[in-house]
PDB file of all heavy atoms in Angstrom:
ATOM      1  N   TYR K 269     -10.130 -23.715  -7.203  1.00 91.00           N
ATOM      2  CA  TYR K 269      -8.911 -24.531  -7.536  1.00 91.00           C
ATOM      3  C   TYR K 269      -8.135 -24.874  -6.318  1.00 91.00           C
ATOM      4  O   TYR K 269      -7.801 -26.036  -6.035  1.00 91.00           O
ATOM      5  CB  TYR K 269      -8.101 -23.912  -8.584  1.00 91.00           C
ATOM      6  CG  TYR K 269      -6.813 -24.683  -8.885  1.00 91.00           C
ATOM      7  CD1 TYR K 269      -6.900 -25.806  -9.763  1.00 91.00           C
ATOM      8  CD2 TYR K 269      -5.523 -24.271  -8.311  1.00 91.00           C
ATOM      9  CE1 TYR K 269      -5.731 -26.487  -9.953  1.00 91.00           C
ATOM     10  CE2 TYR K 269      -4.435 -24.956  -8.592  1.00 91.00           C
ATOM     11  CZ  TYR K 269      -4.545 -26.061  -9.384  1.00 91.00           C
ATOM     12  OH  TYR K 269      -3.363 -26.819  -9.607  1.00 91.00           O
ATOM     13  N   SER K 270      -7.988 -23.880  -5.414  1.00 84.00           N
ATOM     14  CA  SER K 270      -7.116 -24.022  -4.277  1.00 84.00           C
ATOM     15  C   SER K 270      -7.799 -23.970  -2.927  1.00 84.00           C
ATOM     16  O   SER K 270      -7.089 -23.956  -1.805  1.00 84.00           O
ATOM     17  CB  SER K 270      -5.959 -22.913  -4.416  1.00 84.00           C
ATOM     18  OG  SER K 270      -6.515 -21.661  -4.264  1.00 84.00           O
ATOM     19  N   GLY K 271      -9.049 -23.863  -2.929  1.00 90.00           N
ATOM     20  CA  GLY K 271      -9.794 -23.647  -1.734  1.00 90.00           C
ATOM     21  C   GLY K 271      -9.912 -22.280  -1.340  1.00 90.00           C
ATOM     22  O   GLY K 271     -10.479 -21.949  -0.248  1.00 90.00           O
ATOM     23  N   LEU K 272      -9.505 -21.298  -2.058  1.00 93.00           N
ATOM     24  CA  LEU K 272      -9.718 -19.898  -1.833  1.00 93.00           C
ATOM     25  C   LEU K 272     -10.520 -19.300  -3.044  1.00 93.00           C
ATOM     26  O   LEU K 272      -9.913 -18.974  -4.073  1.00 93.00           O
ATOM     27  CB  LEU K 272      -8.321 -19.150  -1.664  1.00 93.00           C
ATOM     28  CG  LEU K 272      -8.392 -17.646  -1.553  1.00 93.00           C
ATOM     29  CD1 LEU K 272      -9.171 -17.317  -0.313  1.00 93.00           C
ATOM     30  CD2 LEU K 272      -7.004 -16.986  -1.449  1.00 93.00           C
ATOM     31  N   PRO K 273     -11.725 -19.241  -2.942  1.00 96.00           N
ATOM     32  CA  PRO K 273     -12.583 -18.735  -4.061  1.00 96.00           C
ATOM     33  C   PRO K 273     -12.227 -17.372  -4.528  1.00 96.00           C
ATOM     34  O   PRO K 273     -11.935 -16.436  -3.725  1.00 96.00           O
ATOM     35  CB  PRO K 273     -14.022 -18.702  -3.391  1.00 96.00           C
ATOM     36  CG  PRO K 273     -13.982 -19.682  -2.372  1.00 96.00           C
ATOM     37  CD  PRO K 273     -12.656 -19.519  -1.671  1.00 96.00           C
ATOM     38  N   GLY K 274     -12.126 -17.281  -5.836  1.00 97.00           N
ATOM     39  CA  GLY K 274     -11.734 -15.979  -6.507  1.00 97.00           C
ATOM     40  C   GLY K 274     -10.279 -15.699  -6.689  1.00 97.00           C
ATOM     41  O   GLY K 274      -9.896 -14.756  -7.218  1.00 97.00           O
ATOM     42  N   SER K 275      -9.475 -16.696  -6.287  1.00 97.00           N
ATOM     43  CA  SER K 275      -8.042 -16.437  -6.316  1.00 97.00           C
ATOM     44  C   SER K 275      -7.382 -16.946  -7.625  1.00 97.00           C
ATOM     45  O   SER K 275      -6.239 -16.738  -7.849  1.00 97.00           O
ATOM     46  CB  SER K 275      -7.259 -17.119  -5.132  1.00 97.00           C
ATOM     47  OG  SER K 275      -7.510 -18.469  -5.223  1.00 97.00           O
ATOM     48  N   SER K 276      -8.273 -17.538  -8.522  1.00 98.00           N
ATOM     49  CA  SER K 276      -7.723 -18.100  -9.770  1.00 98.00           C
ATOM     50  C   SER K 276      -8.405 -17.310 -10.919  1.00 98.00           C
ATOM     51  O   SER K 276      -9.285 -16.684 -10.716  1.00 98.00           O
ATOM     52  CB  SER K 276      -8.075 -19.573  -9.844  1.00 98.00           C
ATOM     53  OG  SER K 276      -7.424 -20.354  -8.862  1.00 98.00           O
ATOM     54  N   GLY K 277      -7.743 -17.544 -12.008  1.00 98.00           N
ATOM     55  CA  GLY K 277      -8.180 -16.853 -13.198  1.00 98.00           C
ATOM     56  C   GLY K 277      -9.723 -17.163 -13.680  1.00 98.00           C
ATOM     57  O   GLY K 277     -10.354 -16.398 -14.289  1.00 98.00           O
ATOM     58  N   HIS K 278     -10.161 -18.331 -13.258  1.00 98.00           N
ATOM     59  CA  HIS K 278     -11.424 -18.718 -13.779  1.00 98.00           C
ATOM     60  C   HIS K 278     -12.488 -18.266 -12.732  1.00 98.00           C
ATOM     61  O   HIS K 278     -13.603 -17.891 -13.215  1.00 98.00           O
ATOM     62  CB  HIS K 278     -11.526 -20.379 -13.888  1.00 98.00           C
ATOM     63  CG  HIS K 278     -11.499 -21.027 -12.585  1.00 98.00           C
ATOM     64  ND1 HIS K 278     -10.454 -21.067 -11.803  1.00 98.00           N
ATOM     65  CD2 HIS K 278     -12.559 -21.660 -11.942  1.00 98.00           C
ATOM     66  CE1 HIS K 278     -10.607 -21.764 -10.676  1.00 98.00           C
ATOM     67  NE2 HIS K 278     -11.990 -22.133 -10.749  1.00 98.00           N
ATOM     68  N   ASP K 279     -12.238 -18.281 -11.528  1.00 98.00           N
ATOM     69  CA  ASP K 279     -13.322 -17.987 -10.542  1.00 98.00           C
ATOM     70  C   ASP K 279     -13.345 -16.516  -9.981  1.00 98.00           C
ATOM     71  O   ASP K 279     -14.316 -16.133  -9.453  1.00 98.00           O
ATOM     72  CB  ASP K 279     -13.377 -18.983  -9.413  1.00 98.00           C
ATOM     73  CG  ASP K 279     -12.047 -19.014  -8.495  1.00 98.00           C
ATOM     74  OD1 ASP K 279     -11.069 -18.331  -8.895  1.00 98.00           O
ATOM     75  OD2 ASP K 279     -12.181 -19.695  -7.455  1.00 98.00           O
ATOM     76  N   ALA K 280     -12.284 -15.673 -10.291  1.00 98.00           N
ATOM     77  CA  ALA K 280     -12.431 -14.279  -9.920  1.00 98.00           C
ATOM     78  C   ALA K 280     -13.551 -13.663 -10.742  1.00 98.00           C
ATOM     79  O   ALA K 280     -14.426 -13.073 -10.288  1.00 98.00           O
ATOM     80  CB  ALA K 280     -11.001 -13.575 -10.060  1.00 98.00           C
ATOM     81  N   PRO K 281     -13.476 -13.809 -12.098  1.00 98.00           N
ATOM     82  CA  PRO K 281     -14.551 -13.310 -12.924  1.00 98.00           C
ATOM     83  C   PRO K 281     -15.914 -13.953 -12.678  1.00 98.00           C
ATOM     84  O   PRO K 281     -16.974 -13.406 -12.783  1.00 98.00           O
ATOM     85  CB  PRO K 281     -14.127 -13.399 -14.370  1.00 98.00           C
ATOM     86  CG  PRO K 281     -13.034 -14.397 -14.337  1.00 98.00           C
ATOM     87  CD  PRO K 281     -12.407 -14.280 -12.987  1.00 98.00           C
ATOM     88  N   MET K 282     -15.827 -15.226 -12.254  1.00 98.00           N
ATOM     89  CA  MET K 282     -17.065 -16.041 -12.080  1.00 98.00           C
ATOM     90  C   MET K 282     -17.847 -15.512 -10.937  1.00 98.00           C
ATOM     91  O   MET K 282     -19.039 -15.242 -10.921  1.00 98.00           O
ATOM     92  CB  MET K 282     -16.735 -17.509 -11.804  1.00 98.00           C
ATOM     93  CG  MET K 282     -17.801 -18.407 -11.574  1.00 98.00           C
ATOM     94  SD  MET K 282     -17.346 -20.071 -11.160  1.00 98.00           S
ATOM     95  CE  MET K 282     -16.490 -20.653 -12.736  1.00 98.00           C
ATOM     96  N   ILE K 283     -17.207 -15.176  -9.761  1.00 98.00           N
ATOM     97  CA  ILE K 283     -17.779 -14.580  -8.544  1.00 98.00           C
ATOM     98  C   ILE K 283     -18.335 -13.283  -8.877  1.00 98.00           C
ATOM     99  O   ILE K 283     -19.452 -12.883  -8.449  1.00 98.00           O
ATOM    100  CB  ILE K 283     -16.830 -14.664  -7.400  1.00 98.00           C
ATOM    101  CG1 ILE K 283     -16.600 -16.044  -6.955  1.00 98.00           C
ATOM    102  CG2 ILE K 283     -17.354 -13.851  -6.190  1.00 98.00           C
ATOM    103  CD1 ILE K 283     -15.548 -16.240  -5.835  1.00 98.00           C
ATOM    104  N   ALA K 284     -17.517 -12.423  -9.571  1.00 98.00           N
ATOM    105  CA  ALA K 284     -17.970 -11.127  -9.944  1.00 98.00           C
ATOM    106  C   ALA K 284     -19.280 -11.131 -10.794  1.00 98.00           C
ATOM    107  O   ALA K 284     -20.201 -10.403 -10.576  1.00 98.00           O
ATOM    108  CB  ALA K 284     -16.872 -10.391 -10.655  1.00 98.00           C
ATOM    109  N   TYR K 285     -19.180 -12.078 -11.816  1.00 97.00           N
ATOM    110  CA  TYR K 285     -20.391 -12.208 -12.625  1.00 97.00           C
ATOM    111  C   TYR K 285     -21.596 -12.590 -11.855  1.00 97.00           C
ATOM    112  O   TYR K 285     -22.653 -12.174 -11.938  1.00 97.00           O
ATOM    113  CB  TYR K 285     -20.125 -13.299 -13.709  1.00 97.00           C
ATOM    114  CG  TYR K 285     -21.285 -13.687 -14.558  1.00 97.00           C
ATOM    115  CD1 TYR K 285     -21.926 -12.753 -15.334  1.00 97.00           C
ATOM    116  CD2 TYR K 285     -21.783 -14.937 -14.565  1.00 97.00           C
ATOM    117  CE1 TYR K 285     -23.007 -13.014 -16.095  1.00 97.00           C
ATOM    118  CE2 TYR K 285     -22.885 -15.276 -15.299  1.00 97.00           C
ATOM    119  CZ  TYR K 285     -23.427 -14.402 -16.135  1.00 97.00           C
ATOM    120  OH  TYR K 285     -24.613 -14.717 -16.793  1.00 97.00           O
TER     121      TYR K 285
END
Side-chain angles (χ1 to χ4, degrees):
Y269 175 78
S270 62
L272 178 59
S275 64
S276 296
H278 72 291
D279 62 353
M282 186 184 290
I283 292 175
Y285 173 61

